[in-house]
Amino acid sequence: MASAEAVLKDIKQLSSLRRSLLCRELGLDELGAALRTDAWPLRDGPQTAGQYENGEAANAEDGEKEDGEEVYLDSSVFLKGTQSENPHNDYCQNFVNSGMRPQNYIRDTGMFYDPEVRFSQYPKLKELVKLKDQLLKERATPPMYVSADLRKFELAQLGTAFDVVLLEPPLEEYARRSPGSALDTWSWDEIMKLNLRSVVARPSFVFLWVGAAEGLEKGREALLRWGYRRCEDICWLKTNAQNPGNTPTLEEDSVLQHTKEHCLMGICGTVKRSTDGHLIHANVDIDLIVSEEPAAGSTEKPEEIFAIIEHFCMGRRRLHLFASDSTVRPGWVSVGPDITNSNYSAESYRAYFESSPPATCAGKPLMLESLNNTLLGCWPEIERLRPKTPPPGERGGNGG
């Protein structure tokens, strides 16, 4: 068993590595500089604008007013007697001062971080993610793609029933955020007209990016129209470490700055976590993505959504609608107007799943339900490590 000194040394080394990675991501020489703790001297009461000039306190007494209005230049007066009185932890005030969103300081997030660091405190999860990514790579079909205008393209032409569908429609909301952009937006009525029922298996899953405005309601309507029920809501929390400041464009009816976006997950058919481990592996990932917000006018989504889907859904037939050249990926069929070429063949694609599955994969026995090659399968090590829900008859009292 490791000594306390060795454990403390490892913790210090890991903390130092995290700080250096965060500094590199934020473009800073020192992490403390981002908090700007020396920019606003703390006072006991409300301060007026005239009391701070060039970062230095003036000699005016607390409570003085300029033009009859008190101006609060720090939050210390509101934090008296609270655990948040330490200004180093006042990320909301830091956002006001510097434009750096509080989520910029969440550690070990996004695809930027090495899994060895991100999951260092969770060795079983680290090993599980490593094994699943290796199996996904071994069992992935070659990337296939179709350049098509989805307003005219009949999805039934794909000739396959897919296990999971990811949709990234260019919403009208995105155009409102970037006035003057040349984005070819889709209304929710147009999105709902997509004939998704013609290309999905049963059971199957759909992941639909809905933005942060009217899409939260319209997205649920779309899922119902396609025969799905909403079961999860994945939230993308956007950082602005590379471009700090206020949100450039606020919508007319907004009362808060939008720094997040939602992806609704729907399910068609009946799937139970406790008995359908050949179809889904639940609770491997969380429902939150933290990554940098793309440049204004971009509809790019975080790559981590693919990892969440692939870790969860054990089906190998995956469809990505409104895809682009940058999102073409092994194991997926990508369709969209921003794809420059096409290589999809329905016959060739179906052939990947009609053959018998291998007994082993990368030298390890492959566990498959009914020898169904449309499923990813599982290694014994993955089955041992993955989170499981006990069958109903085996649960303890109070649902434990």
Side-chain angles (χ1 to χ4, degrees):
M1 186 174 180
S3 64
E5 293 80 3
V7 172
L8 182 60
K9 181 179 179 181
D10 291 342
I11 292 175
K12 288 182 177 179
Q13 290 178 344
L14 183 60
S15 177
S16 176
L17 178 58
R18 282 172 170 158
R19 290 175 67 89
S20 63
L21 287 172
L22 188 56
C23 286
R24 185 174 68 182
E25 185 174 8
L26 298 179
L28 301 172
D29 294 329
E30 295 183 4
L31 187 59
L35 297 177
R36 298 180 60 188
T37 54
D38 58 342
W40 303 100
L42 296 180
R43 301 290 294 272
D44 291 335
Q47 314 301 316
T48 65
Q51 286 179 264
Y52 289 106
E53 295 180 2
N54 299 323
E56 298 181 357
N59 295 324
E61 295 295 330
D62 288 345
E64 286 185 348
K65 301 180 180 179
E66 190 169 289
D67 298 329
E69 180 181 357
E70 290 179 342
V71 180
Y72 294 90
L73 296 180
D74 66 63
S75 58
S76 60
V77 67
F78 304 106
L79 302 176
K80 285 294 184 182
T82 70
Q83 293 183 353
S84 299
E85 189 172 358
N86 184 349
H88 294 271
N89 295 330
D90 189 358
Y91 291 103
C92 293
Q93 182 63 41
N94 181 62
F95 171 68
V96 174
N97 295 342
S98 67
M100 297 286 283
R101 296 172 183 169
Q103 56 262 38
N104 292 358
Y105 303 97
I106 300 176
R107 302 186 309 184
D108 306 344
T109 61
M111 304 295 285
F112 170 79
Y113 281 94
D114 189 325
E116 293 290 332
V117 176
R118 183 175 186 182
F119 304 119
S120 61
Q121 302 298 318
Y122 308 93
K124 289 180 63 176
L125 181 57
K126 180 175 70 173
E127 183 65 16
L128 173 62
V129 170
K130 180 179 178 181
L131 288 171
K132 287 186 74 70
D133 288 343
Q134 182 182 356
L135 179 59
L136 283 162
K137 182 178 179 180
E138 294 288 341
R139 293 276 286 156
T141 58
M144 286 195 169
Y145 37 89
V146 181
S147 177
D149 181 355
L150 287 169
R151 288 189 176 94
K152 303 175 182 178
F153 182 74
E154 290 292 337
L155 294 178
Q157 296 179 34
L158 296 175
T160 300
F162 290 90
D163 302 302
V164 60
V165 182
L166 170 64
L167 297 98
E168 298 183 15
L171 304 175
E172 293 175 339
E173 174 188 344
Y174 301 155
R176 295 197 300 268
R177 293 182 199 165
S178 303
S181 64
L183 187 64
D184 180 17
T185 61
W186 279 53
S187 69
W188 277 105
D189 288 338
E190 290 178 304
I191 295 171
M192 293 182 195
K193 289 179 182 177
L194 287 171
N195 189 15
L196 215 61
R197 292 175 183 264
S198 65
V199 289
V200 294
R202 187 177 180 91
S204 60
F205 307 92
V206 63
F207 291 78
L208 173 63
W209 284 102
V210 299
E214 68 275 4
L216 290 171
E217 296 180 3
K218 293 294 185 179
R220 285 166 170 79
E221 292 181 23
L223 293 181
L224 290 174
R225 180 80 62 89
W226 298 328
Y228 288 82
R229 63 184 184 279
R230 189 204 68 83
C231 59
E232 289 290 351
D233 182 346
I234 300 171
C235 183
W236 172 25
L237 197 57
K238 303 177 182 180
T239 60
N240 67 341
Q242 304 299 326
N243 188 28
N246 293 324
T247 303
T249 304
L250 298 178
E251 298 192 40
E252 292 182 358
D253 57 350
S254 295
V255 295
L256 299 172
Q257 297 192 36
H258 288 176
T259 65
K260 62 174 176 57
E261 196 165 324
H262 295 263
C263 179
L264 300 182
M265 173 186 169
I267 181 174
C268 170
T270 301
V271 178
K272 297 181 179 180
R273 292 178 300 174
S274 58
T275 58
D276 293 327
H278 61 292
L279 296 176
I280 62 170
H281 283 181
N283 302 322
V284 176
D285 294 286
I286 64 173
D287 58 358
L288 182 67
I289 299 173
V290 183
S291 67
E292 188 74 5
E293 182 174 24
S298 172
T299 61
E300 181 182 353
K301 301 298 187 295
E303 185 182 356
E304 192 168 350
I305 190 65
F306 289 102
I308 291 175
I309 295 172
E310 292 167 352
H311 291 167
F312 167 76
C313 178
M314 303 299 288
R316 297 173 63 210
R317 299 169 298 184
R318 311 182 191 100
L319 174 64
H320 183 195
L321 298 180
F322 300 98
S324 63
D325 287 338
S326 63
T327 60
V328 170
R329 185 179 178 93
W332 290 77
V333 174
S334 304
V335 183
D338 294 330
I339 295 178
T340 54
N341 294 299
S342 300
N343 74 343
Y344 181 77
S345 165
E347 294 77 13
S348 299
Y349 187 68
R350 288 196 299 266
Y352 290 120
F353 312 105
E354 293 171 352
S355 59
S356 298
T360 62
C361 181
K364 304 175 184 178
L366 189 64
M367 302 166 59
L368 268 176
E369 182 79 7
S370 303
L371 298 180
N372 186 349
N373 204 22
T374 65
L375 298 176
L376 180 67
C378 184
W379 285 331
E381 299 97 318
I382 294 177
E383 183 65 20
R384 176 178 58 85
L385 291 170
R386 73 177 182 89
K388 303 179 185 68
T389 300
E394 298 181 12
R395 297 178 186 175
N398 298 323

